Amino acid sequence: MSKGVLAKQKLEELSKEPKLDPKKKNEQAICEIVVELEARGIELLPVDIYLSEGRKFKIEDGKIRIPLIGISGLGGAVIENILKEREEGKFISVEDLKRRTKMSQTVADKLRSIGAISSLSETNQISLF
């Protein structure tokens, strides 16, 4: 399923709510941008914890990378922590990412489901077998 289709589905969900809080208004704005970009034939790159900006879309080789704020449930404090901690060095596992960024398991699961942390193992432990 394309990002535009997912964004349209999310917009439909949000339109059913009588009043949106600021976080959901931001989510709505990003969904609208994603739908518009796809309608114009502009290719979108997925969220990546190492490559995505915090709150701004980023141009890469004529394509546009979705920012971290584009992830539902990812708050400003965690975004700032991700940006700061990735400068300190790569995350060695999901466990390390959660500890260093103070991220909840729910957000880590969301990142995993969209492929933003697919390169990370679950824990810091190394299997010998």
Side-chain angles (χ1 to χ4, degrees):
M1 198 176 309
S2 77
K3 292 169 192 68
V5 171
L6 293 172
K8 283 180 188 176
Q9 289 175 347
K10 188 64 179 177
L11 281 173
E12 287 175 18
E13 278 178 38
L14 292 169
S15 71
K16 294 175 185 173
E17 294 190 29
K19 187 175 179 189
L20 298 176
D21 61 31
K23 192 173 184 179
K24 288 192 178 182
K25 283 184 182 179
N26 284 341
E27 197 174 331
Q28 180 183 32
I30 287 176
C31 288
E32 289 169 350
I33 291 167
V34 168
V35 169
E36 181 68 22
L37 290 173
E38 191 165 271
R40 293 175 183 260
I42 298 171
E43 189 174 340
L44 296 172
L45 298 170
V47 173
D48 182 286
I49 58 167
Y50 294 113
L51 300 174
S52 292
E53 297 291 332
R55 291 177 171 77
K56 296 179 183 176
F57 288 84
K58 178 179 169 186
I59 298 172
E60 293 178 29
D61 300 321
K63 300 172 187 167
I64 298 181
R65 172 98 40 207
I66 298 172
L68 294 170
I69 195 74
I71 301 170
S72 176
L74 191 59
V78 174
I79 289 171
E80 293 306 316
N81 289 343
I82 290 171
L83 297 174
K84 177 180 163 272
E85 290 296 327
R86 75 184 187 189
E87 295 296 319
E88 301 294 322
K90 292 217 177 243
F91 302 105
I92 59 174
S93 67
V94 175
E95 182 180 288
D96 181 47
L97 172 69
K98 288 180 359 188
R99 180 184 54 76
R100 289 170 52 193
T101 63
K102 297 171 181 45
M103 177 185 298
S104 71
Q105 182 63 48
T106 304
V107 172
D109 290 342
K110 180 88 168 196
L111 288 171
R112 185 182 301 102
S113 74
I114 63 170
I117 58 173
S118 58
S119 64
L120 298 179
S121 64
E122 194 59 37
T123 66
N124 296 345
Q125 296 180 353
I126 299 172
S127 174
L128 298 176
F129 303 100

